[in-house]
Amino acid sequence: MRLRGRACRVTIFIGESDLYRHRPLYAEIVHRAHAMGLAGASVFRGVEGFGASSRIHTGHLLALSSDLPVAVVVVDTEENVRNFLLVLDELVEEGLVIVDEVEVHRYVGGAEEARRSWWSRGRAERGDDGGDRPEDPDTR
C-alpha cells in the first residue's frame, strides 16, 4: 500500500507507568489504533522529561522516579485520526495530545512488500534490474 500526500499525526505524551484497567496505557492506545485499522502506531520511551506536574522524570540509576516519559505516535488520514481522538478522550486522563498535519512521502505495508528489502523495492520502483549492483540478500 502506498500513502502519499497529506495526512495527520497524533502524538500522545504520557507516563510509562500510566495504566488503563491494569494494563500499560501506551499498550492500550496501540491496540485500540490497531483495532480501528489505523495505518500504524509506534511507542517511544524518553530518557528524561517533565510535564504539567513540573516533576522531572529520569532514567538515571539513582533517580527515585522511574516513570519515564512515553510518546505514542499515530499517522493516518485526518478523518481516521479525528475518530481516534474520541477513543483517546476515553483513555487518556492525564497527558498531552498533539495533532498536526504532515506530508507522507512513502508508506509500505502488507506482508509481501514488507518482506522485500529496501534495495529491491527501490530497484523495482526504478525499473532497474540491478545488473551492476551487489546481489540483493533477499534473493539468495
Side-chain angles (χ1 to χ4, degrees), residues 47-67:
V47 295
E48 188 168 79
F50 70 93
S53 70
S54 293
R55 192 168 128 228
I56 293 181
H57 302 271
T58 181
H60 294 286
L61 187 60
L62 300 176
L64 297 176
S65 170
S66 63
D67 184 22

Side-chain angles (χ1 to χ4, degrees), residues 11-14 26 42-46 69-73:
T11 306
I12 306 108
F13 295 97
I14 54 177
Y26 61 84
S42 296
V43 178
F44 300 94
R45 184 176 186 219
V70 171
V72 183
V73 179

Side-chain angles (χ1 to χ4, degrees), residues 15-130:
E16 183 179 34
S17 66
D18 292 348
L19 299 175
Y20 179 80
R21 298 186 179 167
H22 309 291
R23 179 181 189 172
L25 179 57
Y26 61 84
E28 185 66 25
I29 292 170
V30 168
H31 286 265
R32 294 278 185 106
H34 184 260
M36 289 181 68
L38 298 181
S42 296
V43 178
F44 300 94
R45 184 176 186 219
V47 295
E48 188 168 79
F50 70 93
S53 70
S54 293
R55 192 168 128 228
I56 293 181
H57 302 271
T58 181
H60 294 286
L61 187 60
L62 300 176
L64 297 176
S65 170
S66 63
D67 184 22
L68 294 174
V70 171
V72 183
V73 179
V74 178
V75 177
D76 206 307
T77 64
E78 181 177 1
E79 180 182 356
N80 289 345
V81 165
R82 296 288 173 201
N83 289 333
F84 189 59
L85 290 175
L86 300 173
V87 173
L88 292 177
D89 284 344
E90 173 193 341
L91 299 176
V92 180
E93 292 179 5
E94 186 176 312
L96 177 66
V97 177
I98 298 173
V99 178
D100 49 352
E101 187 178 305
V102 295
E103 184 176 330
V104 176
H105 289 272
R106 183 171 162 188
Y107 171 77
V108 178
E112 184 60 34
E113 285 197 36
R115 282 193 291 270
R116 292 170 46 198
S117 73
W118 67 271
W119 181 260
S120 63
R121 283 193 307 269
R123 267 196 337 220
E125 289 170 0
R126 291 187 305 273
D128 181 1
D129 67 359

